Amino acid sequence: MDFFNYKDGELYCENVPAEKIAREVGTPTYVYSKATLLHHLMQIKDAFAAIKPTICFSIKSCSNINLCRVLAEHGSGFDVTSGGELFRALQAGGDPKQMIYAGVGKTDDEIRDAINVGIAAFNIESEAEIENIDRLAGEMGKSAVGALRINPDVDAKTHAKTTTGKKGNKFGVDIDRAEAVFEKYRGLRHLRIGGLHLHIGSPVYEIQPYVDAVTKAVALIDRLTEHGHKIEWLDLGGGFAVNYKSPDQAKPVTEHARALVPLLAGKPYRIALEPGRYIVGNAGILLTRVLYRKTSGSKQFVIVDAGMNDLIRPTLYESYHHIWPVKPDAKNVFATRDAEQKPVNGEVVDVVGPICESGDYQAIDRALPKTQRGDLLAIFTAGAYGFAMSSNYNNRPRAPEVLVDGDTFTVIRRRETYEDLVAAERV
Ligand code: LLP
């Protein structure tokens, strides 16, 4: 569910016409809905209320500090995965006691910074990292806390590039070696390994992989407890999918909770979740304008001003983003956004960007209402891993970000300038 709706024939974000934002801020532009963000955060909290999880928003999915501040103000912690993300989470007013630090390649400086600001825990990915964190904490005269990330060997049935919990992926420690690792590092002097972490992939459309992973983790914690290890929390990671194509493509989080809560209720350890996409995915769109049309062979191209540098997901993961005019003709204003709903008198086109690569597209062979130069299009479900993965490729200044709250909108990141492009370079 989100607050991007067609009213009186045009797209609104909450109570603000998308066209007004494009007119004042230009295109391409990311637009986020505050109400949608908070709706999803609260939905997760409510669904899992029986086990009172700590929610750590996965800041890699969308990291504007203003948007993160909204989440922090509503009780969210942060899952960070680099020194830069830690910096951002702090800038957003995040509480270090609600921050966890993940990632297979933490540098010494990043580990020291995280210990210094007093993050809640590291999610530790290897034995070498355990030894390094213990050593660094010792050198600093401090102590660190961590969870061991296990690789539960379940198939999340998602894109090969974003599946993380199968044997052979680079993440975590194989679940069948976890007990030996806990045993080997029992009683470290400067690092207490008090938790277990897993993250099976993203986006995960099915519930069963979570059930399988959690069942394995719970059994592992039982065995560890029997052997005298004190496990204080279990972090289930993120990955809940969202609706890219149709309103019922992804299971609502309530269904995940219905399957997972019974496995976890009454356990003597706390539960953490690291959702990113579920909170912000449908809370953001990318507004883009049609620059040109052209024909090549049998193909019709609609060339828009958003390139793969602005939104890389379609070409990187073959992912589907619904695209629709902001002001469609009357016959093409539908009550729901559903990819199955074909345009009336439409056409099949490739929606492509201005970048010098054939892989620069937002949609291939897509049925759309007819569009012409100047028309404004919305690329939906672009809030997660949209701006966050954007770049300056082809020396294109990155798009601005706008946050809508009811009747008002605020530019929370200005459009980059040409000066920004060269600002860090030295002659
Ligand atoms: N926790 C860990 C350890 C993660 O690696 C991730 C995502 C998350 C949580 C959050 O997952 P989410 O709830 O957002 O699904 N760029 C890809 C997705 C990569 C996900 C990386 N890790 C995409 O655009 O689909």
Side-chain angles (χ1 to χ4, degrees):
M1 138 122 190
D2 62 58
F3 293 89
F4 293 94
N5 290 306
Y6 285 89
K7 282 188 273 190
D8 306 324
E10 64 178 307
L11 182 67
Y12 277 69
C13 174
E14 303 190 13
N15 299 324
V16 180
E19 209 268 328
K20 179 172 191 242
I21 298 173
R23 209 179 331 118
E24 293 184 23
V25 184
T27 53
T29 291
Y30 278 93
V31 179
Y32 305 101
S33 149
K34 181 177 171 184
T36 311
L37 271 185
L38 291 179
H39 170 75
H40 290 141
L41 176 66
M42 295 310 159
Q43 212 188 7
I44 298 175
K45 270 194 187 165
D46 290 349
F48 286 95
I51 51 173
K52 296 198 183 66
T54 302
I55 297 179
C56 294
F57 174 62
S58 196
I59 200 168
K60 65 172 78 73
S61 62
C62 186
S63 52
N64 186 292
I65 53 176
N66 299 280
L67 191 142
C68 291
R69 185 175 299 277
V70 170
L71 296 173
E73 283 167 358
H74 288 80
S76 180
F78 293 97
D79 154 40
V80 305
T81 200
S82 69
E85 288 191 354
L86 176 60
F87 178 77
R88 276 187 175 276
L90 293 168
Q91 291 275 308
D95 174 3
K97 295 270 159 301
Q98 280 185 282
M99 284 183 205
I100 43 178
Y101 194 124
V104 290
K106 304 173 188 80
T107 66
D108 291 2
D109 282 344
E110 288 177 322
I111 292 169
R112 284 193 206 99
D113 283 352
I115 293 174
N116 269 332
V117 303
I119 57 152
F122 289 98
N123 284 338
I124 305 179
E125 304 257 2
S126 65
E127 288 157 87
E129 193 191 327
I130 293 178
E131 291 172 15
N132 199 33
I133 294 176
D134 183 55
R135 177 183 67 85
L136 291 168
E139 284 171 11
M140 295 166 75
K142 299 204 171 189
S143 54
V145 183
L148 183 69
R149 178 168 181 176
I150 51 156
N151 179 333
D153 193 23
V154 301
D155 186 355
K157 303 202 171 77
T158 187
H159 196 278
K161 286 183 180 147
T162 56
T163 194
T164 50
K166 273 295 280 173
K167 223 181 200 125
N169 295 144
K170 70 175 177 182
F171 300 98
V173 167
D174 284 351
I175 189 160
D176 39 16
R177 284 188 43 244
E179 283 166 273
V181 171
F182 268 90
E183 215 46 58
K184 181 171 171 194
Y185 296 107
R186 190 193 276 274
L188 287 174
R189 297 203 32 220
H190 310 290
L191 170 65
R192 181 166 57 84
I193 310 178
L196 218 59
H197 172 237
L198 57 91
H199 169 75
I200 57 175
S202 165
V204 183
Y205 282 91
E206 293 185 20
I207 292 177
Q208 196 58 38
Y210 282 107
V211 170
D212 293 345
V214 169
T215 305
K216 287 183 179 187
V218 166
L220 172 61
I221 296 179
D222 288 347
R223 295 197 297 279
L224 289 167
T225 308
E226 261 173 46
H227 288 93
H229 297 284
K230 195 160 174 254
I231 302 299
E232 294 159 44
W233 75 96
L234 169 61
D235 179 343
L236 306 182
F240 300 140
V242 296
N243 296 324
Y244 283 99
K245 265 192 175 164
S246 61
D248 54 4
Q249 184 191 8
K251 309 254 185 315
V253 73
T254 40
E255 284 194 39
H256 288 279
R258 200 173 304 133
L260 296 179
V261 167
L263 304 175
L264 298 165
K267 297 291 181 195
Y269 38 86
R270 302 189 309 276
I271 301 299
L273 296 169
E274 304 170 348
R277 191 187 314 265
Y278 196 86
I279 291 177
V280 79
N282 284 116
I285 63 170
L286 175 59
L287 288 177
T288 184
R289 255 188 221 285
V290 177
L291 291 174
Y292 302 103
R293 300 196 45 126
K294 71 184 273 186
T295 307
S296 178
S298 58
K299 283 269 186 192
Q300 294 283 339
F301 291 102
V302 172
I303 302 167
V304 297
D305 63 6
M308 66 192 272
N309 73 301
D310 297 300
L311 180 65
I312 201 171
R313 301 193 71 259
T315 191
L316 190 58
Y317 310 115
E318 298 87 34
S319 56
Y320 183 103
H321 285 262
H322 188 56
I323 301 178
W324 210 250
V326 163
K327 284 188 173 178
D329 60 280
K331 288 199 181 73
N332 282 306
V333 182
F334 297 135
T336 56
R337 289 201 313 269
D338 190 342
E340 297 304 314
Q341 227 155 6
K342 294 295 172 224
V344 180
N345 301 327
E347 57 180 352
V348 174
V349 297
D350 284 8
V351 181
V352 301
I355 287 194
C356 308
E357 297 202 23
S358 296
D360 178 28
Y361 57 82
Q362 302 302 344
I364 300 284
D365 291 335
R366 184 68 62 86
L368 278 183
K370 290 207 171 90
T371 53
Q372 58 182 12
R373 178 176 167 83
D375 283 355
L376 193 59
L377 303 180
I379 305 179
F380 289 92
T381 321
Y385 309 103
F387 183 86
M389 293 180 80
S390 67
S391 77
N392 291 126
Y393 186 42
N394 272 209
N395 274 282
R396 289 166 48 79
R398 274 183 295 177
E401 294 176 289
V402 166
L403 183 63
V404 173
D405 180 7
D407 298 331
T408 57
F409 75 88
T410 313
V411 177
I412 56 172
R413 192 182 207 275
R414 64 167 171 79
R415 188 179 302 283
E416 288 182 354
T417 62
Y418 293 148
E419 283 71 29
D420 289 329
L421 294 177
V422 294
E425 291 168 33
R426 295 283 173 269
V427 178

